[in-house]
Amino acid sequence: MVTNADLLALEGKPGNFTAKLNIRPRYIDADACTACGLCTQYCPKHHVDPYNEGLAITRPIHIDYAQAVPATYYIDPSSCMYLQHDTCQICVPVCQSHAINFNQKPEARDLKIGAVILSPGFGKIAPETLEKYGYGKHPDIVTAFEYERMTTASGPFLGEIKCFSDGRHPKSMAFIQCVGSRDIGCNNGYCSSVCCMYAIKEALVTKEHDPDVDITIYYMDIRTQGKDFDAARERAEAIGIKFVRAKVADVTPWENHLKLTYSTLDGQHKFESHDMVVLSVGLESPKDAEKIADITKIDLNHYNFCKTDTFSPLQTSQEGIVVAGAFQGPKDIPESVTQSSGAASLASSVLKQQRGKGTVSKEYPEELVVTDDDEVRIGVFVCHCGINISSVVDCPEVAEDAGGMENVTYYTENLYSCSQDAQEQIKNTIKEKKLNRVVIAACSPRTHEPLFQETLKDAGLNRNLFEMVNIRDQCSWVHANEPEEATAKSKDLVRMAVSKAAHIQPLPEQTVPVTPKAVVLGGGVAGMTAALSLADQGFDSVIVEKSAKIGGNLQNLKNTLAGDEVAGYLKTLTDNVKKSKRIDVITDGRLAQTSGFVGNFASVIESGKGTKKKELTVDHGVIVVATGGHEHRPDKYLLGKSKKVLTQQELEKQLAGRAKNRAPDSIVMIQCAGSRGDDLNYCSKVCCNHAIKNILKIKEINPASQIIVLYRDMRTYGYAEDAYLEARKKGVIFIPYEVDRKPEVSQKSGKVQVDFFDSIMQEEVSFNPDLVALSVGVVPDGTAELSKMLKLPVTANGFFLEAHVKLRPVELAVEGVYVCGLAHGPKPVDETIVQAQAAAAKAAIPLVKGYVKVDPIVSSVEKDACIGCGICVSLCPYGAIQMIKVDKKRKAETISASCKACGICASHCPTFAISMGGFTNEQLVSQIEAFGNKKVEEKVVA
Amino acid sequence: MSENTFSPKILGFLCNWCCYAAADAAGVSRFQYPPNLRTIRVMCTGRIDPSFVLKGFLEGADAIFSGG
Amino acid sequence: MGKAILHREGAVMILGGGIAGIQAALDMTELGYYVYLVEKSAAVGGVMAQLDKTFPTNDCSL
């Protein structure tokens, strides 16, 4: 990790680049800094805090936020008194660990690298654009980024929302959407794709703070097209957040309020007063986009984002350089995370020859054998954490108290237990005092347990012979004004830990080998891309396709919205799959059965029909689910009953034909036909783009064609907004309809008639078009069956539910199973390709390692005590317990690699046959007993 | 003598992934709360055997807190 | 000032330490490559670290 660094130059070719960096000094020695924060307290100079969007003041010497990585303070030279005026230096003597070093100089560094991933993020909308909405003229007009910091509990105002003008709590708030997006005035014609979501989120958060506050969101289209995003919008409406479809012209101060002037669709101008106005600012291309493009020689698009194309969405114009995140185009967190994994997949194929050569592996001393017969020798280390703990808790007293406890052979205190020298000291003490259990009272095991466990390993102790007591985050920090009680609490917690420690046992490190092969379910673009990415990284896979031919939905498409021809791409893709020596394709195939766990699956695949039916068993390490979806066919709007009513996909086919009348003179398109609360409860994300694509094709064939689009929200997010604008410019009429006033389609004497309410002219309209096209949405294929077989959860809408919607978007709840494409949720082809590449990267991880490590805190079954009742099997949320036969008796057995250590099995086992590593009944009971030991009665102060 | 002399002993079982994490976050934000809670970290509240709760009461807890 | 030249086989440079860069770095490490994560500010995390909660679940983002 190289922070404070600028890229100056990049030379070379894929596999062999040289990057020249300039590393700016932090003026603080990162290894010595303990992030105690004393320096910031003493620093006399103020510094506007960019982390808090300038809403707070910090000091030149600071850390952006407590969890920052690296957890090292730094000095911002722009406001430091010493670096600017050669005075002060008060921080130097204040720092107890002598970390401050004003002699640091900028450092030049060359990196030899094989591939580059660009992820510089996004930039901010220019102030001139914000000024159009009065930003800067009145303090109560804020950007959504500023507002985010204002609502944050750990932010500068501790989450209290106040008007900057006079400190009152706002009772009426407005969010203005599309500030700096969909605005050709500032050359940002694109939709930023995130603002609708964050505005709704911030509005919901505001309502949590104060349910009485009145919130209005002024919007053109609400674009909550992401998976399950519409539900949040509905939740917002349900709790009274108002959505007004309008263009805001202007915001002006008016007495102590703000006056919004806006125009609604029907052409009316209206005014509304609000206490506070939040500007939902869009995402701009990064400030240094041009510089990056210059250095790396990649092409940018007309909005200064990185240029890529639909079928290779992460590949820049330079080989060996890939892109991920908002620099590829404005996008939200899950999309970014997915792109990152996809980019890793691409970079990995560039570098596969060099894989594993640059990584470092560490060696450990042989592990000391600790058995039940050995005397328990516990060492207790009490950390001061600088003054973080010791300013509240009496550390010497806690340590001394620990010294008097049973089994404790050694106790001491550290200024910082986590510091390099303390680690050495702990290691030496373990050896010298022959300690076989270590208890450290410091901060949270969630952050520091791995570090100390590493120390134990270095000292030759099994890493599980360790227990951590949290006397900082959960004691000194939260009881700052009650030092005596905090000290008493620390003693109790230490006693409980010592008591547990006496019962902890070394747990063996378990590893399970991996079969380096993938089964890919589905032979559409997602499945094929995933298999090809795996092949590029050097792994075999088997594609199981249920139909007679690979290709999937792409076979029904002619062009993409960006104009790329689909058939050619599909042919290349299928040819590559067929050519690849690493990919086997089974058509007419079906997954009949799967058993095993990550690294060691065995699947039975059936193929063929009737007499040709075959069964094949495949051993494999991972599964990629790419089972896809298909166009929904709602029983509405005369679909299937009239020849003049088509779906968008059918229309696309007709438009690609040769008949002269293939683009009729008048067409009505109905969006959300059967979607968003109708047959389907969700937005299918692709239909708006699909409609626009067909519209432009129609206009190309028959420019005079009259087209009316009846829609709820046009969700042409990202660059698709350009095409939407083009359609409008070509005279296509877009009319929104309300969900309680849907258009109606009827048939009279061979003519179709569409009746709808024209919300622009405010009148009922009847129209007899030549054709009606329905945007019908996407439904997943066979997820119910597969979900049962593989124990994979699905959402209420029948799509597979990812392990974490933000951070693990292609992994599923069962380890070793990954998802991509329409099986995960409706999405366009470029997002499907990225997701498939991401799934391939994630799937490759266990395959590269060759083994899966099992955290030893998993459950284990004592076979003699098990009565084979099977309660644990039915309760396990991860499918990690199976029943086996031992001497003709049913017994439970843990599949360690799948176990997540939740302990549900152990707590429900009627015979206490199941135990959890590191959390045994014995250990927890002794901890509870130690809790009872306390003579609290005496402590009650009268 | 103050009226609120009752200072309960509370034993808490905190899930490593959510409640324990939240308790850490409370610390990071320096939220202050009464020091009556003694916690035991578990990997999931599913681990809590009903007997642990009873045992806690037997050991003199006035209340048991389970956070997950 | 001396110039440090770092050379490792199978290394990748990731420019930008926001959520995208961090995720790419984690994945590349797991895939067996050495990663240089190059960030222009003093800490990685990017904009996501500034967020309080995330849409649509309003989970904590840190």
Side-chain angles (χ1 to χ4, degrees), chain A residues 555-571:
Chain A
Q555 296 170 91
N556 303 323
L557 301 180
K558 299 295 163 195
N559 289 90
T560 66
L561 184 56
D564 306 283
E565 199 235 335
V566 175
Y569 169 69
L570 183 60
K571 184 165 188 315

Side-chain angles (χ1 to χ4, degrees), chain A residues 214-421:
Chain A
D214 196 55
I215 302 174
T216 311
I217 298 179
Y218 296 90
Y219 71 101
M220 294 198 277
D221 296 283
I222 288 292
R223 292 185 170 168
T224 44
Q225 63 273 346
K227 187 177 177 182
D228 293 332
F229 286 5
D230 259 337
R233 181 228 172 127
E234 282 155 23
R235 210 163 67 229
E237 266 169 325
I239 64 163
I241 293 168
K242 278 175 277 182
F243 289 81
V244 174
R245 193 189 291 272
K247 242 341 229 170
V248 175
D250 165 41
V251 184
T252 44
W254 180 53
E255 291 176 2
N256 63 341
H257 297 281
L258 292 161
K259 189 173 74 175
L260 243 78
T261 313
Y262 63 94
S263 61
T264 50
L265 264 185
D266 50 10
Q268 292 189 52
H269 286 257
K270 294 182 179 170
F271 306 99
E272 192 68 61
S273 108
H274 292 284
D275 292 336
M276 189 186 271
V277 170
V278 181
L279 305 180
S280 294
V281 291
L283 310 186
E284 179 80 73
S285 66
K287 202 169 59 189
D288 47 358
E290 279 172 0
K291 203 177 110 195
I292 293 171
D294 255 10
I295 293 171
T296 59
K297 300 171 197 80
I298 58 159
D299 293 340
L300 299 178
N301 69 13
H302 59 295
Y303 292 126
N304 258 1
F305 286 90
C306 182
K307 187 176 176 181
T308 63
D309 76 51
T310 313
F311 297 129
S312 51
L314 303 176
Q315 182 59 53
T316 68
S317 55
Q318 288 294 327
E319 222 183 305
I321 304 179
V322 293
V323 62
F327 185 40
Q328 191 259 359
K331 62 181 54 63
D332 60 6
I333 295 166
E335 289 290 329
S336 296
V337 169
T338 308
Q339 288 206 336
S340 305
S341 298
S345 191
L346 295 182
S348 171
S349 355
V350 175
L351 293 175
K352 86 173 164 216
Q353 303 298 340
Q354 304 172 12
R355 182 164 55 213
K357 290 187 179 162
T359 48
V360 222
S361 54
K362 199 176 157 186
E363 302 216 340
Y364 298 99
E366 207 173 313
E367 203 172 285
L368 184 82
V369 182
V370 178
T371 68
D372 284 349
D373 303 333
D374 290 322
E375 177 203 1
V376 177
R377 299 175 65 84
I378 303 177
V380 179
F381 299 82
V382 179
C383 177
H384 286 224
C385 194
I387 57 166
N388 277 304
I389 297 172
S390 61
S391 64
V392 178
V393 172
D394 187 339
C395 292
E397 197 182 318
V398 173
E400 206 133 314
D401 190 62
M405 290 172 196
E406 201 183 345
N407 299 322
V408 174
T409 43
Y410 179 80
Y411 65 93
T412 188
E413 299 154 51
N414 301 121
L415 182 58
Y416 289 103
S417 299
C418 60
S419 66
Q420 203 64 48
D421 55 325

Side-chain angles (χ1 to χ4, degrees), chain A residues 387-394 470-493 934, chain B residues 8 10 14 23-24 26-39:
Chain A
I387 57 166
N388 277 304
I389 297 172
S390 61
S391 64
V392 178
V393 172
D394 187 339
N470 190 335
I471 59 168
R472 188 185 75 175
D473 307 43
Q474 299 186 12
C475 192
S476 71
W477 277 354
V478 291
H479 311 309
N481 304 318
E482 293 149 297
E484 272 177 38
E485 287 296 324
T487 305
K489 178 172 176 176
S490 301
K491 286 185 193 169
D492 285 349
L493 291 174
K934 187 187 168 197
Chain B
I10 307 169
L14 309 189
D24 283 351
V28 172
S29 308
R30 307 298 198 273
F31 287 137
Q32 301 296 308
Y33 56 84
N36 300 48
L37 181 68
R38 302 291 179 268
T39 57

Side-chain angles (χ1 to χ4, degrees), chain B:
Chain B
M1 191 166 164
S2 127
E3 281 171 30
N4 274 329
T5 51
F6 176 58
S7 172
K9 273 177 79 171
I10 307 169
L11 178 64
F13 294 94
L14 309 189
C15 163
N16 178 64
W17 306 109
C18 48
C19 195
Y20 196 92
D24 283 351
V28 172
S29 308
R30 307 298 198 273
F31 287 137
Q32 301 296 308
Y33 56 84
N36 300 48
L37 181 68
R38 302 291 179 268
T39 57
I40 292 178
R41 180 172 71 113
V42 288
M43 294 310 283
C44 168
T45 43
R47 177 68 188 94
I48 306 169
D49 191 298
S51 72
F52 294 168
V53 177
L54 300 175
K55 179 85 185 163
F57 283 126
L58 278 176
E59 291 293 337
D62 295 308
I64 305 282
F65 173 90
S66 158

Side-chain angles (χ1 to χ4, degrees), chain A residues 2 4-5 24 26 51 69 110 112 114-115 117 119 148-149 197 201 340-341 348 354-356 358 806 842 849, chain C residues 4 6 9-11 13 15-16 20 23 27 30-33 37 39-42 44 49-50 52-53 55-56:
Chain A
V2 193
N4 256 356
R24 281 167 275 122
R26 294 179 87 89
Y51 172 72
V69 176
D110 284 4
K112 293 270 183 195
I117 298 175
S119 52
E148 178 86 27
R149 295 310 302 161
M197 274 63 80
K201 173 192 79 174
S340 305
S341 298
S348 171
Q354 304 172 12
R355 182 164 55 213
K806 292 268 173 264
K842 291 292 183 188
K849 282 202 175 134
Chain C
L6 296 178
E9 261 189 280
M13 174 176 75
L15 192 65
Q23 183 61 49
D27 287 339
E30 295 244 42
L31 286 168
Y33 303 97
L37 182 60
E39 163 63 34
K40 63 176 183 295
S41 76
V44 297
Q50 285 181 285
D52 181 21
K53 296 179 175 156
F55 186 89

Side-chain angles (χ1 to χ4, degrees), chain A residues 781-855:
Chain A
D781 278 339
T783 48
E785 196 189 338
L786 198 57
S787 124
K788 261 186 222 148
M789 197 193 305
L790 298 175
K791 273 203 164 192
L792 302 170
V794 290
T795 66
N797 299 324
F799 295 98
F800 285 111
L801 176 66
E802 53 274 45
H804 187 290
V805 288
K806 292 268 173 264
L807 302 176
R808 296 172 63 197
V810 297
E811 292 160 84
L812 293 174
V814 176
E815 217 164 311
V817 187
Y818 311 88
V819 68
C820 56
L822 299 182
H824 160 273
K827 60 180 65 63
V829 62
D830 52 341
E831 289 172 32
T832 296
I833 292 170
V834 169
Q835 212 179 18
Q837 289 166 338
K842 291 292 183 188
I845 289 172
L847 305 183
V848 164
K849 282 202 175 134
Y851 62 88
V852 275
K853 226 186 204 161
V854 182
D855 206 342

Side-chain angles (χ1 to χ4, degrees), chain A residues 93-104:
Chain A
V94 163
C95 180
Q96 297 180 347
S97 36
H98 310 292
I100 291 160
N101 176 5
F102 280 112
N103 296 322
Q104 284 186 3

